[in-house]
Amino acid sequence: TGQVQTLGVQPGYARSRGMAASLDGSVVVGKSFQSESSNFAQAFRWTEAGGLQPLGFTQPGLHNHSEATAVSANGELAVGYSEGLSGSDAFVWTLTDGMTSLPHLPGSIEPSTRALGMNSSGTVIVGSSGTQQTAVLWQNGSIVSLGTAPGFARSYASGVSESATVIVGNLNSGSLSSHRAGIWFPETGWQPLEQYLTTIGVILPTGLHLYDATGISDDGRIIVGYTAVSGSIQQAFVVTIPAPSALMLLAPILALSMRRRRSDGAESTH
């Protein structure tokens, strides 16, 4: 309606933060903080009729923080994570069953699992699991490891296309300087997003590093996230991957350009 609407704060809480919305905007999910200075929060689901509804914790009494990170297009399913000193549980919340924990990767010494995104229909959920933080996918109640990319010890997934053929997230080795936005395909696995864009002919500004990819469109062509720029401020970014037809047109142009460069280089040696 062209208006800005605040969603309020849960009783007993000091502030709230919206994280995702359903397709028509009638359902919003996020987290409510216990106080102005506290980072401890509880996941919520908001509707016009019901206001902010607290979603609870997977382990009440042991967990003191939960947040909802994504919601399905119809607003009936939300995902996120609940955590405490003993680790974290990824959860899925539905109107009929409430909050249910998602499985951890087998063999995790200290369970640490987070659901960070899902496709619009809610059939595929992505996130991370394991002590070492490895990107994972949940489908039909089962968890699948997505691994990481060569040269990176850790990964997590934040966004997934509707068909689950493109997943985005982060690749890192633990330090802040090692973080890179990542992209995953079933055929190739993970690779840095910058590397993939270079292979399809997308030129990035000099010195710009894509730090994290946080979301992706249903068709897998539009990716959002934020940058890390040495000596500059952090900025949001949006990347549009050319349509398949455009890539087919681009390929011979790139090949011709490479042949010309090789030819130019050969002539300069005479």
Side-chain angles (χ1 to χ4, degrees):
T1 59
Q3 298 177 344
V4 175
Q5 178 179 355
T6 57
L7 305 186
V9 178
Q10 291 175 210
Y13 286 77
R15 54 194 173 103
S16 61
R17 183 178 298 175
M19 303 294 285
S22 61
L23 183 62
D24 64 2
S26 64
V27 178
V28 176
V29 299
K31 53 186 174 180
S32 292
F33 294 88
Q34 294 177 4
S35 69
E36 286 291 347
S37 59
S38 174
N39 286 324
F40 295 120
Q42 181 175 178
F44 74 76
R45 178 179 183 268
W46 175 92
T47 61
E48 187 73 48
L52 291 177
Q53 174 190 359
L55 301 187
F57 307 91
T58 57
Q59 300 185 53
L62 293 178
H63 286 184
N64 54 12
H65 179 90
S66 66
E67 54 185 90
T69 57
V71 64
S72 59
N74 63 12
E76 295 180 359
L77 185 150
V79 299
Y81 60 93
S82 173
E83 64 185 356
L85 294 176
S86 60
S88 60
D89 298 323
F91 72 76
V92 56
W93 183 96
T94 65
L95 290 169
T96 54
D97 299 327
M99 185 179 286
T100 305
S101 296
L102 292 167
H104 300 265
L105 277 179
S108 299
I109 299 174
E110 180 181 305
S112 182
T113 303
R114 295 182 174 187
L116 302 174
M118 65 177 165
N119 61 358
S120 60
S121 63
T123 57
V124 177
I125 302 167
V126 295
S128 66
S129 183
T131 307
Q132 191 66 8
Q133 192 182 57
T134 301
V136 295
L137 175 152
W138 290 273
Q139 189 171 26
N140 298 323
S142 298
I143 186 171
V144 176
S145 172
L146 300 179
T148 188
F152 295 91
R154 302 178 181 180
S155 62
Y156 58 79
S158 304
V160 55
S161 64
E162 179 57 31
S163 62
T165 53
V166 189
I167 295 173
V168 296
N170 183 272
L171 304 167
N172 67 86
S173 295
S175 65
L176 291 177
S177 61
S178 71
H179 283 245
R180 289 290 184 273
I183 188 167
W184 179 96
F185 298 102
E187 303 84 5
T188 60
W190 284 106
Q191 59 182 302
L193 179 58
E194 295 171 20
Q195 176 182 313
Y196 169 71
L197 294 174
T198 300
T199 63
I200 64 172
V202 176
I203 300 174
L204 294 172
T206 302
L208 183 69
H209 296 295
L210 305 184
Y211 186 90
D212 199 358
T214 55
I216 189 169
S217 58
D218 276 358
D219 64 3
R221 290 187 51 230
I222 300 175
I223 300 166
V224 296
Y226 53 97
T227 69
V229 184
S230 178
S232 184
I233 60 173
Q234 194 172 72
Q235 301 179 65
F237 74 79
V238 57
V239 168
T240 301
I241 297 173
S245 58
L247 287 176
M248 292 175 66
L249 292 172
L250 186 62
I253 295 173
L254 291 174
L256 178 60
S257 174
M258 292 176 65
R259 285 198 297 270
R260 283 177 175 171
R261 285 197 296 268
R262 286 197 296 268
S263 175
D264 292 342
E267 290 173 357
S268 66
T269 61
H270 293 293

